[in-house]
Amino acid sequence: MLRPRTKEAIAAGRGAGLHVIVVTGRMFQSVRRYLEAAGLDDPVVCYQGAVVADPVSGRFLRHVPIPLELAREAIAALEVEGWPINCYVDDELYVARVTWHAEQYARFQNIELHEVGDLLAWLDRPPTKLVVVGDPDELDELSAVLRPQFEQRLFIAKSLPIFLEFANPGVSKGVGLQVVADLLGFTAASTVAFGDGENDRELLEWAAYAIAVENGDDSVKALADFICPAADHEGVAQVVEAFLAR
């Protein structure tokens, strides 16, 4: 959960008239409890930008899933490589069978896990995203194998080192935040973005001022205008406090 210092910094920023937008790869149902705890009611960007949702009503303002046949092709390719798949439909998580990795992921996200058997036989709607969970080096190898087949047709990136994610190619956190900016009336020129993972690159490229956390992915830190302390030291809160103190 959010620590008191971070919640206080968010509240102070909102009190000063700032929009505080959460942009995440997580499911909406997973992130919604954090928004409620922080008192945030601006639209949230979820699923790497595939979903923009209203945290109050729960309504999806934008949803860009993977086309069904493309998703089925990707699932088949992952199954050939021997990887279990997390499949997200209607903000729920489905798996062919419950594995240790799937259980750990569901526990990490604090969500229910639905076992459906043969995913290809079961899937009849476009999924929001697909995820595989595993060793970081093995996922890098998997990414290298699949990119020639899917790079132009799927968004492929790690959210954490152990999560390799697949989404619609029109999806990114930067695109998702642009949707929110259009809704709320702010621009990239007035935006500060924070990121730590490979899937944050488009977000940091979109914003006028990019901040990476010190323990983040090297490719993200290379894009940053400033490096802040890691989450363990509440780096985001430190930056917000310093900005407001000015």
Side-chain angles (χ1 to χ4, degrees):
M1 297 299 292
L2 294 174
R3 297 179 183 177
R5 182 178 182 179
T6 296
K7 290 170 68 173
E8 289 168 6
I10 289 172
R14 285 170 53 82
L18 302 179
H19 289 293
V20 179
I21 311 300
V22 173
V23 184
T24 179
R26 291 193 180 203
M27 306 166 68
F28 175 58
Q29 66 159 294
S30 173
V31 75
R32 194 175 189 182
R33 63 182 66 92
Y34 296 100
L35 303 175
E36 292 172 350
L40 296 176
D41 54 10
D42 282 331
V44 57
V45 179
C46 305
Y47 289 102
Q48 315 299 357
V51 167
V52 174
D54 178 345
V56 178
S57 68
R59 184 168 64 93
F60 282 11
L61 308 175
R62 163 187 163 92
H63 183 209
V64 185
I66 304 171
L68 179 58
E69 289 309 310
L70 177 57
R72 292 173 61 82
E73 182 183 348
I75 289 170
L78 288 165
E79 289 179 344
V80 166
E81 296 297 325
W83 286 89
I85 302 150
N86 291 355
C87 182
Y88 300 79
V89 178
D90 296 333
D91 206 33
E92 297 287 346
L93 172 56
Y94 299 90
V95 295
R97 66 185 187 282
V98 175
T99 64
W100 181 85
H101 278 131
E103 286 182 328
Q104 294 301 307
Y105 184 91
R107 186 173 295 114
F108 171 74
Q109 299 271 14
N110 194 23
I111 54 174
E112 186 178 357
L113 193 59
H114 304 281
E115 186 175 23
V116 298
D118 186 342
L119 265 181
L120 284 176
W122 170 83
L123 186 65
D124 61 0
R125 289 162 292 168
T128 304
K129 72 173 182 177
L130 306 171
V131 175
V132 291
V133 185
D135 174 80
D137 292 336
E138 292 180 353
L139 291 181
D140 286 341
E141 294 174 4
L142 175 64
S143 178
V145 168
L146 294 183
R147 282 184 184 276
Q149 181 178 356
F150 293 106
E151 188 164 29
Q152 303 303 316
R153 298 186 292 148
L154 285 172
F155 171 87
I156 305 174
K158 283 183 173 179
S159 52
L160 292 175
I162 59 171
F163 300 151
L164 183 63
E165 311 214 358
F166 302 82
N168 187 292
V171 158
S172 77
K173 290 185 176 182
V175 172
L177 188 54
Q178 178 67 66
V179 172
V180 176
D182 291 341
L183 289 169
L184 298 183
F186 64 88
T187 66
S190 61
T191 301
V192 177
F194 296 82
D196 63 350
E198 179 183 307
N199 61 328
D200 291 317
R201 288 185 297 203
E202 292 85 358
L203 174 65
L204 268 60
E205 288 171 342
W206 183 85
Y209 196 78
I211 299 178
V213 299
E214 63 185 1
N215 62 335
D217 185 85
D218 288 340
S219 67
V220 172
K221 290 191 286 188
L223 293 171
D225 299 296
F226 180 74
I227 306 295
C228 77
D232 287 346
H233 301 287
E234 298 190 85
V236 173
Q238 291 189 43
V239 171
V240 174
E241 291 166 355
F243 175 79
L244 294 177
R246 295 178 58 188

